[in-house]
Amino acid sequence: VFQGRILARRLVGQETRYEVEVKTPYRRRFPLVPREYVWVPNACGCPPLREGGEYLLMARRHVNHEHTLNRILLREDGYARPWTPREARLVREAARHC
């Protein structure tokens, strides 16, 4: 779970790749660097993330069976909400319990 700003969007084959500036990482099960690529396994842009927008993203690390592909995956049913002061408060409150 992290707060990020969408820098760019690019269609790569049947997937969408977002370049994201990681602003605040919250719950991490894998390391994040200041700029990451977040992949969505479709070309329709679902969930819709606009360039320049800030979001709270809950993504998963995806490693294929051959261990040749290691990336951050945001599934269609993944959590991607626009970042608001209310989201900041909710995340801070949840961090006390997790």
Side-chain angles (χ1 to χ4, degrees), residues 53-65:
E54 289 192 23
Y55 296 89
L56 181 65
L57 301 168
M58 183 169 45
R60 293 181 175 217
R61 181 176 171 204
H62 173 257
V63 179
N64 68 351
H65 294 293

Side-chain angles (χ1 to χ4, degrees), residues 35-52:
R35 285 202 176 172
E36 290 281 2
Y37 286 122
V38 175
W39 293 83
V40 177
N42 64 52
C44 72
C46 303
L49 305 175
R50 65 177 177 80
E51 290 183 33

Side-chain angles (χ1 to χ4, degrees), residues 2-3 20-23 25 28 30-37 72:
F2 64 95
Q3 175 193 0
V20 179
E21 175 187 2
V22 176
K23 295 212 164 225
R28 291 185 282 179
F30 51 90
L32 293 171
V33 294
R35 285 202 176 172
E36 290 281 2
Y37 286 122
I72 299 172

Side-chain angles (χ1 to χ4, degrees), residues 63-69:
V63 179
N64 68 351
H65 294 293
E66 294 83 20
H67 296 279
T68 57
L69 184 65

